[in-house]
Amino acid sequence: MSPAPLRILGLDPGLRRTGWGVIRVEGNRLSHLGHGVIAPDEKAPFSERLLALFEGISAVVADWSPDEAAIEETFMNNNAASALKLGHARAAAMLAPARAGLPVAEYAARLVKKSVVGTGAADKDQVAFMIARILPGSAGAAADAADALAVAVAHAHARTRARIQGGLAA
C-alpha cells in the first residue's frame, strides 16, 4: 500500500524574487500543481520587502495547503552584506510555512541540482529544462519558480530515500 498523496511546497528564496512551486507526490509519481514568483517592490524599505515575502508565502501556503515545505540553503558569496540580506529573506520564507505548522527541510543548491539534473554543477537553464520534463505543466516557469520546483522534487526524492532506508514514516 502506497502512502497517502502529499503536497510539497518548494521555495527558492531571494530578496528581489522568491520562487515557489507546489508538487503532489503519490507513490513514486510526481505532478505539478502550481508555481510562481513573489517579487517585493525593490524601492520599498528592507523591512517591508521582508514582510511582503512573508505575506506572499503565507498566501501560497493558505491557497495550496501543502503538507511539507523545503527551502534552498543560502549560497555563500564574497559580499557579506548581500549574504546577510539573503539570510533575512530566507528566514522570512522559512517562517511562513513554519507558522502554519509545516515541517521545513533545507537543501544545499548542489544537492538540489544533483537530484534533478544529475550533477551539482548544473546551471539554471539545465534545471529548468529537466523540471519541464519531470513535471509536465511547468514548462515556461520563470527560473526562480523552476528552481523552487526543483527544491520540492529534491525533497520528494529525499523522503523516498529516507522511507526506503527506514528513517521516515510514510
Side-chain angles (χ1 to χ4, degrees), residues 58-117:
S58 293
V60 169
V61 169
D63 290 346
W64 291 97
S65 302
D67 300 296
E68 298 179 5
I71 189 166
E72 190 171 274
E73 290 179 348
T74 303
F75 172 76
M76 196 60 199
N77 66 26
N78 294 335
N79 184 330
S82 294
L84 184 59
K85 286 182 178 180
L86 179 57
H88 284 82
R90 195 168 168 273
M94 289 179 78
L95 285 171
R99 185 167 192 227
L102 303 179
V104 182
E106 302 174 62
Y107 296 96
R110 290 185 65 82
L111 185 107
V112 170
K113 292 173 182 179
K114 187 171 185 177
S115 180
V116 172
V117 180

